[in-house]
Amino acid sequence: MQLDELINSDNIATLLDEDTLNAIAQTVLDGYSADETSRSGWINRYEKAIKLAAQVVEEKNYPWPKASNIKYPLMTLACLQFHARAYPSLVPSKQVVHVSTLGKDFMGIKARRSARVSAHMNYQVMVQMEDWDENMDRLLITIPITGTEFKKTYWDGGQGRNVSKHVFAKDLVINYWAKSLETAYRKTEIIELSHNELEERYRNGIYLSIEEAEPQPREDKVTQVADAVQGEKAPQLDASSPHTILECHTFYDMDEDGYAEPYIITIERDSRKVLRIVARFQKKNISKKNGQITKIVPDEYYTKYSFIPSPDGGFYDMGFGTLVGPINEAVNSIINMLVDAGTLSNLQSGFITKNFRAKGGSLQFQPGEWKTVNALGTDLKNGLFPLPIREPSGVLFNLLGLLIESGQRVASTTEMLVGENPGQNQKATTTQVVQENGLRVFTAIYKRLRRALGVEFKKLYNLNRQYLDTKEYYKIIDPNEQEQQEMSIYRKDYEDETLDIFPTADPNAVSQSTKQMQAQAILQVLPLGVPPRMALKRYFEALEIENYEELMPPEGAEQQPPPEIMLKMRDQQLKESVASHDAEIKDREQDRKEIETGIKERDLVTKAHLSEAGNRKDLVIAALGAEQKDMADRRKERTNERKASAGGME
């Protein structure tokens, strides 16, 4: 078969014989099994992370049956807090897709074209693709647990529109040793379809008709964890039981030229039959040299969303399941040990001697109850020996607090960052600065998610280039006469290489207060020549005011800001001037204090020097006096010796 025939075929499986299809199905199944085995270690971590985040409580039999098994919600709070911050920041309620132009735009044609594309794509994402917002919501609550999630973007001919759905990492099997999503040799998505859904695809010519095998439920660890989270078990097989479909994005040499081309091969797992094969490349993406194919760039349907990249370069990234999971498990263990110790301490037990005359078996007491026994008090004292059980350990309790604090620091779920009051003596500005600095920890994660969101939007842009409905496009953008002349061919808007598609969300504005502060800062520089309409637009958008266009001044008119804003600006400038003056006074007072302190220090040093000099003077005088006295004594001794000598001579 020739490549043109393969590219244009709606289902290449209709062109192949049964033996070839069986060989292809076996190849896909073998590769799928190898990939699933290679990521078994990640599946184990995934299982533990989901159980911790979902607070799955399991019955324990150690140290005794039905012992304490408390799950501390450390990772649950971390995931909820991340989702609460990321969702409104990355998915604004108004405009989600932003389109800008590259290069000079003398006549404003590029700007008008980018505005039309932006309006159309925002309509597609927020209105036409009605499940897009829900899928992003689910992705942002799942990715902090798993660390890696995917979106699948493609054209759905049955619905007649683009589709971009969330694909759980557990349902997209990729070899653990793959370096990136684009270079992975196989990407196998696990899809569950009912009998009716398979029949619909067959009647629409999408799938081949096959003898369906009896569907078998998934029995892997991921499914078991899902059952534990839901608190349910798979029911008995019936007509509603889904079939497991494997959609493998891989490479296969269909034209037998020694070079494997990219295809999508879909098989039914239980019957091991091929349902569909389609080309995963376009003719324009084929490179040839000397008549031979040198490279084929495949169409990529999936977009990888990453939380924190794996430091070892592995394909699957890290989430709170890797970072906080071990701490959470240690916290759970310590809490359960403390509870078990308290249980033993409260419900005492021990030994009873054979000499104690009472009925055998255990004795249970009700509050205020007294039991009659055939024994004296001394017999009770000597016949009963309670076990030497200690109170719950204070050391373990202190260690528990340390671990919880460490986990909160890793997940940024300290009191201040979850909305609790830090105290009454802390200034509001200080609290805000501390909170903003704490939220900066996730700025890098927001940037990664925003980058992936931009890749997804570019996939939608390329799909619009191929499948744009011109009537729908014309109806949504409602062009004026000038734009109608520019839009002789509507699809031309999606063929402009100077357009840059990216999300509207700002990854640096991690909170609503930050956005409002930025908008207020723009208003303060209006006297410097900033366009009032654009400044007011950003201010109203930061406040999320509905229908703010009605409040905007007319286009082209030189408008001053509203009096309220001018008064607010003047008050702000006055406050800043007063604050600057107060700061200057404080600086001068500080300088004066430092000078006085320096003078005092110099005086003390001088006094110390003088005192030391005085002490030295006294020592010198005393030494001189002692020396003079010693000399006088010596002279006196010599005089006495001479007198004694003279008397002897006489």
Side-chain angles (χ1 to χ4, degrees):
M1 292 182 290
Q2 300 298 319
L3 284 183
D4 292 342
E5 183 181 6
L6 296 171
I7 293 174
N8 297 325
S9 176
D10 293 332
N11 190 351
I12 302 175
T14 59
L15 308 176
L16 303 175
D17 57 67
E18 186 175 357
D19 292 338
T20 304
L21 292 177
N22 291 336
I24 293 175
Q26 187 62 44
T27 302
V28 170
L29 285 170
D30 292 343
Y32 162 73
S33 299
D35 295 341
E36 192 70 88
T37 302
S38 70
R39 67 169 193 166
S40 58
W42 177 83
I43 288 293
N44 292 332
R45 294 197 301 270
Y46 178 92
E47 174 192 5
K48 294 179 180 179
I50 292 295
K51 286 184 177 180
L52 284 174
Q55 298 287 290
V56 177
V57 179
E58 300 171 328
E59 185 174 319
K60 284 178 59 178
N61 294 319
Y62 179 83
W64 54 75
K66 296 184 179 180
S68 173
N69 193 15
I70 298 173
K71 301 291 185 180
Y72 187 81
L74 183 62
M75 198 165 75
T76 304
L77 290 174
C79 296
L80 292 177
Q81 286 297 321
F82 174 81
H83 174 264
R85 299 171 192 148
Y87 185 47
S89 297
L90 296 174
V91 185
S93 57
K94 293 288 185 180
Q95 188 180 18
V96 179
V97 185
H98 185 80
V99 181
S100 65
T101 59
L102 304 175
K104 297 181 179 179
D105 187 11
F106 297 103
M107 304 297 294
I109 297 177
K110 293 182 179 179
R112 289 189 292 273
R113 180 173 293 175
S114 65
R116 294 194 296 267
V117 173
S118 177
H120 180 243
M121 291 191 67
N122 277 289
Y123 164 78
Q124 286 183 311
V125 171
M126 301 304 295
V127 179
Q128 188 183 60
M129 301 165 59
E130 53 189 17
D131 56 347
W132 185 88
D133 197 2
E134 179 183 354
N135 278 268
M136 280 300 301
D137 186 11
R138 186 168 57 241
L139 182 145
L140 292 175
I141 195 65
T142 307
I143 194 170
I145 305 173
T146 62
T148 304
E149 292 297 318
F150 302 94
K151 291 287 288 292
K152 183 181 182 182
T153 307
Y154 60 97
W155 168 261
D156 191 331
Q159 301 184 51
R161 64 176 178 87
N162 295 331
V163 174
S164 190
K165 68 175 184 178
H166 171 216
V167 178
F168 289 94
K170 65 182 179 65
D171 293 330
L172 187 62
V173 182
I174 300 176
N175 193 284
Y176 186 84
W177 305 110
K179 296 302 180 183
S180 67
L181 181 67
E182 293 75 19
T183 59
Y185 188 80
R186 277 182 307 270
K187 296 179 279 284
T188 307
E189 181 182 356
I190 304 173
I191 305 173
E192 294 183 342
L193 297 177
S194 65
H195 171 76
N196 263 5
E197 290 173 322
L198 285 175
E199 187 66 20
E200 288 175 1
R201 284 164 171 74
Y202 163 66
R203 296 187 179 187
N204 288 323
I206 300 175
Y207 286 171
L208 291 179
S209 177
I210 62 172
E211 294 182 2
E212 301 173 12
E214 183 178 359
Q216 299 295 327
R218 294 175 60 179
E219 297 180 351
D220 50 15
K221 289 185 177 181
V222 174
T223 305
Q224 295 172 5
V225 173
D227 293 343
V229 172
Q230 296 292 330
E232 300 175 353
K233 291 184 178 180
Q236 296 294 328
L237 298 177
D238 57 13
S240 64
S241 300
H243 293 262
T244 302
I245 308 300
L246 302 180
E247 182 179 296
C248 184
H249 294 229
T250 184
F251 297 83
Y252 202 88
D253 187 10
M254 290 288 181
D255 59 356
E256 299 180 353
D257 65 344
Y259 183 88
E261 306 88 28
Y263 295 97
I264 301 177
I265 304 174
T266 307
I267 67 173
E268 207 270 335
R269 185 196 63 180
D270 299 322
S271 64
R272 310 173 72 88
K273 297 295 184 181
V274 175
L275 298 175
R276 190 187 189 205
I277 302 176
V278 291
R280 192 166 57 98
F281 60 97
Q282 302 177 34
K283 188 174 182 179
K284 64 179 181 179
N285 294 328
I286 301 175
S287 300
K288 291 185 177 181
K289 185 177 182 180
N290 299 327
Q292 289 187 340
I293 297 176
T294 57
K295 185 178 181 180
I296 298 179
V297 179
D299 296 334
E300 186 56 63
Y301 287 64
Y302 299 98
T303 303
K304 181 184 178 183
Y305 282 78
S306 174
F307 194 74
I308 298 177
S310 178
D312 62 351
F315 177 78
Y316 289 100
D317 301 320
M318 298 190 303
F320 286 142
T322 304
L323 302 176
V324 185
I327 299 178
N328 204 158
E329 290 179 348
V331 169
N332 294 343
S333 298
I334 294 177
I335 290 177
N336 292 322
M337 284 190 287
L338 291 174
V339 173
D340 290 340
T343 302
L344 289 174
S345 179
N346 294 334
L347 302 176
Q348 292 188 2
S349 57
F351 299 97
I352 301 177
T353 63
K354 292 182 179 180
N355 297 329
F356 181 69
R357 290 172 292 178
K359 294 181 179 180
S362 61
L363 296 176
Q364 296 182 354
F365 289 82
Q366 297 294 330
E369 180 184 6
W370 295 82
K371 292 184 181 294
T372 302
V373 295
N374 187 17
L376 299 176
T378 55
D379 295 335
L380 290 174
K381 181 178 180 181
N382 297 327
L384 301 178
F385 180 75
L387 290 176
I389 299 174
R390 298 181 179 180
E391 297 289 333
S393 172
V395 176
L396 280 182
F397 184 77
N398 294 333
L399 178 60
L400 175 64
L402 177 63
L403 289 177
I404 292 177
E405 182 182 359
S406 300
Q408 289 176 340
R409 287 182 176 275
V410 173
S412 291
T413 56
T414 55
E415 287 83 354
M416 186 178 298
L417 296 181
V418 297
E420 295 185 12
N421 190 0
Q424 298 180 355
N425 298 325
Q426 185 164 299
K427 296 181 180 179
T429 53
T430 304
T431 301
Q432 185 175 5
V433 171
V434 173
Q435 185 175 8
E436 294 294 338
N437 289 335
L439 293 176
R440 292 294 178 188
V441 176
F442 289 109
T443 303
I445 300 176
Y446 293 152
K447 286 188 175 183
R448 291 187 204 100
L449 297 178
R450 184 177 182 268
R451 183 170 62 241
L453 198 57
V455 174
E456 178 186 344
F457 288 159
K458 289 180 180 179
K459 287 184 171 66
L460 291 173
Y461 179 86
N462 293 329
L463 290 175
N464 287 333
R465 180 182 297 177
Q466 301 179 48
Y467 304 104
L468 180 64
D469 185 348
T470 55
K471 293 182 179 180
E472 175 193 275
Y473 186 60
Y474 185 88
K475 180 179 179 181
I476 293 171
I477 64 175
D478 193 17
N480 54 34
E481 294 182 0
Q482 182 180 6
E483 289 179 327
Q484 289 180 12
Q485 294 177 0
E486 297 173 359
M487 296 167 55
S488 57
I489 302 177
Y490 301 110
R491 193 173 295 176
K492 187 176 181 181
D493 282 355
Y494 282 96
E495 295 176 354
D496 191 351
E497 299 296 336
T498 64
L499 296 183
D500 187 19
I501 315 296
F502 57 89
T504 304
D506 182 7
N508 295 311
V510 295
S511 67
Q512 190 67 21
S513 60
T514 304
K515 298 177 183 178
Q516 295 177 7
M517 291 175 59
Q518 292 175 350
Q520 291 176 359
I522 295 176
L523 291 179
Q524 293 176 7
V525 296
L526 281 177
L528 300 179
V530 176
R533 280 184 56 84
M534 298 303 298
L536 289 175
K537 179 181 178 182
R538 296 193 179 188
Y539 182 73
F540 291 146
E541 288 178 348
L543 296 179
E544 296 186 355
I545 296 177
E546 298 288 341
N547 301 322
Y548 65 85
E549 293 83 2
E550 300 174 356
L551 307 176
M552 298 289 290
E555 293 187 8
E558 294 293 335
Q559 294 288 336
Q560 293 292 334
E564 296 81 0
I565 296 180
M566 293 295 295
L567 290 175
K568 188 175 181 180
M569 292 170 53
R570 292 176 182 176
D571 292 342
Q572 184 67 23
Q573 292 175 356
L574 180 61
K575 290 180 181 179
E576 292 178 355
S577 177
V578 172
S580 176
H581 182 66
D582 293 342
E584 184 178 357
I585 293 176
K586 290 181 180 180
D587 291 340
R588 292 180 179 178
E589 183 67 18
Q590 184 67 24
D591 293 340
R592 184 184 65 78
K593 291 181 179 180
E594 290 179 357
I595 292 173
E596 291 180 354
T597 302
I599 293 174
K600 291 179 180 179
E601 290 179 353
R602 286 195 296 271
D603 290 344
L604 292 175
V605 172
T606 302
K607 289 180 180 180
H609 284 294
L610 291 175
S611 177
E612 184 179 357
N615 294 333
R616 290 179 179 177
K617 180 179 179 181
D618 293 340
L619 292 174
V620 171
I621 292 173
L624 290 174
E627 185 177 357
Q628 291 177 357
K629 184 179 179 181
D630 184 53
M631 292 176 64
D633 292 340
R634 290 180 180 178
R635 285 196 299 269
K636 187 176 180 180
E637 289 178 358
R638 285 196 297 271
T639 302
N640 293 333
E641 289 177 356
R642 285 196 297 270
K643 287 181 179 181
S645 177
M649 292 177 65
E650 292 177 357

